[in-house]
Amino acid sequence: MTSTGETTNLRRVVQTGMWFEELETGVLYEHRPGRTMTETDNVLFSTLTMNPQGLHIDAAYSDAQEPFHQRLVNSLFTLGTMVGLAVAHLTQGTTVANLGFSEVKFPAPLFHGDTVYAETEVLDKRVSKSRPGEGIVTFRHTARNQHGVVVAVAVRNAMIRLRPSAEQP
């Protein structure tokens, strides 16, 4: 470090997602920290997306409903949070586009105050035949609550950038 506080000759690391080449099949990527789902989050998401379902926004109604007797976190908020938890780790700055979701499941409910943790497995990847410099990656995202119970699973296909040739290690 110089007297002016500048650093010299240091390798710089900028946090981004992973390039296509860095994503590996057969690896489970665990994303931390998790995200605690609050009542405010759930009501705001539900109202912003024009979803007036009483199971999400009406405590008196949902408290009287079998089998949970409490409000449920909106499943699309759960889906978005699950994928969002993976972004900084895997795809920040390297995603071109989401191509689609399949096999979306919500095997257990998520409630206000629950914390979501996500993990991702790369199921498949291939270099794009029609878009040079890009590849298609198939991810399986899984969300678990603080007790380890699976609350959401989705398979997602995304277009991911290959590492620019000038940045090859």
Side-chain angles (χ1 to χ4, degrees):
M1 185 176 291
T2 67
S3 60
T4 61
E6 296 176 34
T7 55
T8 57
N9 299 324
L10 292 179
R11 183 173 72 91
R12 294 186 182 272
V13 177
V14 177
Q15 180 178 341
T16 62
M18 298 175 137
W19 299 108
F20 175 86
E21 296 86 350
E22 296 173 307
L23 294 165
E24 299 178 48
T25 57
V27 173
L28 188 64
Y29 298 92
E30 295 183 356
H31 314 300
R32 300 296 184 267
R35 173 71 157 76
T36 301
M37 309 301 258
T38 69
E39 177 181 6
T40 300
D41 296 329
N42 191 41
V43 171
L44 181 60
F45 181 88
S46 295
T47 55
L48 284 172
T49 57
M50 303 296 290
N51 183 344
Q53 174 55 257
L55 290 172
H56 304 312
I57 64 172
D58 184 333
Y61 171 81
S62 57
D63 288 354
Q65 300 302 310
E66 296 286 339
F68 303 114
H69 297 285
Q70 62 180 306
R71 284 168 290 167
L72 302 173
V73 171
N74 186 310
S75 59
L76 293 179
F77 180 43
T78 302
L79 175 65
T81 301
M82 173 177 65
V83 173
L85 285 168
V87 169
H89 190 181
L90 298 181
T91 62
Q92 177 69 36
T94 58
T95 296
V96 176
N98 279 323
L99 301 176
F101 287 84
S102 62
E103 303 177 40
V104 177
K105 299 175 185 168
F106 303 99
L110 197 60
F111 304 109
H112 298 160
D114 282 346
T115 300
V116 173
Y117 297 96
E119 58 196 40
T120 302
E121 180 183 357
V122 175
L123 299 178
D124 189 39
K125 62 185 241 183
R126 68 174 177 83
V127 173
S128 174
K129 295 174 187 158
S130 62
R131 296 183 58 109
E134 299 170 0
I136 298 170
V137 179
T138 303
F139 299 100
R140 180 188 303 119
H141 300 287
T142 303
R144 299 175 189 276
N145 67 15
Q146 69 275 15
H147 305 294
V149 175
V150 174
V151 295
V153 178
V155 174
R156 174 174 71 110
N157 289 319
M159 186 75 69
I160 304 293
R161 289 185 174 90
L162 275 69
R163 180 189 300 272
S165 57
E167 295 187 26
Q168 292 294 333

